[in-house]
Each structure stands twice: as structure tokens, then as C-alpha cells.
Amino acid sequence: MSHSADRPATLPRVTVPNHVAIIMDGNGRWAQQRGLPRLEGHRRGVETVRTVTNAARELGIKMLTLYAFSVENWNRPKTEVSGLMGLLEFYLKQELKTFVKDKVRLRTIGRVDELPAGVQKHLNHTVAETAQFTEYTLVLALNYGSRTEVVDAARAYAAAVAAGKEKLNDSSWATFSRYLSTADMPDPDLIIRTSGETRLSNFLLMQGAYAELVFTPVLWPDFTKADLVAACDDYARRERRYGLTAEQIRQPAARAAK
Ligand code: FPP
């Protein structure tokens, strides 16, 4: 984690990131360390999903995106894939009441239409039942991968151009990004990965272009509210420059003076 004791006190400090995205990693190792089946690690991982969803809401984070199942995860042993799908379905069934009580909006990114029918049914139901909530959104990345998402978006964009709905000459990130599954979502400010791995693994590669990255050795089932707070504190100490110089960020007037 970074330290910034030398940072000028006058810097604007945005203490709470608006959108936090998490690569929940280490369930398998957590289980293995205890001589338990991998699925037990995922089961404990679901408990952490509950804890962290609550914690983020309490901290004032507006959007939390969790990488729950990647397009690559289908290649895991069949029993693990079906176990994960079962956990997801069970979680959705159980959680709806809490989402409504806490006014949590659920949405998804990824190729959800390729998930098992039972999961899709509960997802669609939960998404519809929570669509009116505006304060806090939990986004589950399911059957998600950035490259797949970009290919899907490019295909949809090309179709829109062919249909005369978009003009190729007007192409811009603002236009194209409306075809990503994250359309109308703010970019993540902070991406956290647990378990000591320091990769993005095909997660929000475009949307995370300016995100701060925090890597923690904590395995996902052990991740607590305190770990989330620590990651947010780290985020708050950093200076997001968006390609500008430090001086331009510190003295906005310098931005105008070329
Ligand atoms: C990574 O751990 C975790 C996953 C691939 C799945 C994450 C899923 C959950 C936390 C449970 C289901 C989610 C919801 C929202 C109900 P890993 O298995 O790769 O761990 P390892 O690297 O230690 O093997």
C-alpha cells in the first residue's frame, strides 16, 4: 500500500470511491489450506460477498462490481462450475429480501444469456424487483470477460452503423462505450484484487483505464470490512492525474496556461 506523507495538505481528497470493482480471488486456496473441498471456499466466499456488499453501502460507495464468474471459468472442472452456479442461484433466492430491505439495485454485466436457465430466472427476477433503487448498485460480472465484451460491442456497433443508426465518422469512445455491457455505468475508480495475484485477468480492461489498483494478499473468504476500508484509504491517498501533470492537478489554473 502506498504512503503519501509528502503529499501537500491542500490536495482535494476524495475519500470514498464512487465505484469499486473487486476481483474476488483465493477461495480455492482458502479451502485447500484447511483441507476442505474448493466449493467450501466458494461457499465462504459468498459470505464475504454479503459482508462486503453491506460494508460498501455503509461506507457510501455507490456502486460495487464483483467478478463472480469469468468467461474462462467454464474451463474449470464440471463439478466446480455446477457448484458455483448452484451457489449463485441459492444466493439470489436468499438475497432478494435483503436487497429490497436495504434498497440495493442489482444489475449484471457479461453474457448472462449463456448461464443456466435457473440462474437466469432468478437474476431477471431480482434485477426487475430492485430496478427502482437508485442509491446503491451491486453489479455481478457473470460470464464476463473484457475481450468478449469488446468483440460483442464491436459487432453491435458495426450493425448500428450498417443500419444507419451510428455514423462511422462520428466514432468516439463516448459513442462506442454505449455498446459495452457497462453502458450507463460509471467507470470504476478503484479495482481491488485479493489473494496476492497482481493481474487484471480480463476484468474491466477498458473501463478501468484510469482506475486505481489495489492488490491485497488477503484471500477472498478472509476479506473484511476493515480490508475494504484500508483499500479505500489507499485510494484516497493517491493522486489521480488523468494524463495531466501533478502541478496541473494541484493548481487547476495551471491547466489553462498551456
Ligand atoms: C476465485 O477463487 C473465485 C471465483 C472464480 C469465483 C468467485 C465466486 C464467489 C465468491 C461465489 C459466488 C458469487 C456470488 C456473487 C454468489 P479461486 O477459485 O480462483 O481461488 P484460487 O485462485 O485460490 O484457486
Side-chain angles (χ1 to χ4, degrees), residues 22 33 67 74 83 92 97 113 120 135 152 155-156 174 185 190 193 221 241 244 246 248:
I22 307 184
Q33 284 170 8
Y67 203 5
W74 295 111
L92 290 167
K97 264 192 200 157
D113 57 348
Q120 283 192 55
E135 280 304 295
D152 286 348
R155 205 177 282 148
M185 274 170 59
L190 168 64
R193 182 170 190 152
R241 297 217 289 254
L244 301 176
Q248 285 174 305

Side-chain angles (χ1 to χ4, degrees), residues 139-232:
V139 184
L140 296 182
L142 293 164
N143 194 16
Y144 177 85
S146 280
R147 290 181 172 179
T148 309
E149 180 190 36
V150 169
V151 169
D152 286 348
R155 205 177 282 148
Y157 186 71
V161 170
K165 290 182 194 149
E166 298 285 1
K167 288 197 190 105
L168 201 52
N169 289 342
D170 293 346
S171 293
S172 66
W173 178 248
T175 328
F176 180 73
S177 61
R178 289 203 303 264
Y179 292 83
L180 296 170
S181 64
T182 49
D184 74 33
M185 274 170 59
D187 285 342
D189 302 293
L190 168 64
I191 298 179
I192 302 169
R193 182 170 190 152
T194 60
S195 91
E197 307 293 346
T198 48
R199 295 181 292 277
L200 287 175
S201 298
N202 207 10
F203 184 53
L204 299 178
L205 297 183
M206 294 290 107
Q207 300 84 344
Y210 295 101
E212 294 296 331
L213 309 180
V214 168
F215 299 103
T216 166
V218 178
L219 302 178
W220 179 248
D222 291 330
F223 193 84
T224 61
K225 181 175 184 178
D227 294 313
L228 179 63
V229 170
C232 291

Side-chain angles (χ1 to χ4, degrees), residues 24-30 32 38 42 45-46 49 66-69 73 76 80 84 87-88 91 140 195 197 220:
M24 311 181 284
D25 199 5
N27 294 349
R29 274 163 285 167
W30 184 94
Q32 270 156 8
R38 292 179 57 83
H42 294 314
V46 176
V49 166
L66 301 176
Y67 203 5
F69 195 85
N73 285 153
R76 292 193 172 204
E80 184 167 343
L84 275 168
L87 276 179
L88 184 59
Y91 163 83
L140 296 182
S195 91
E197 307 293 346
W220 179 248

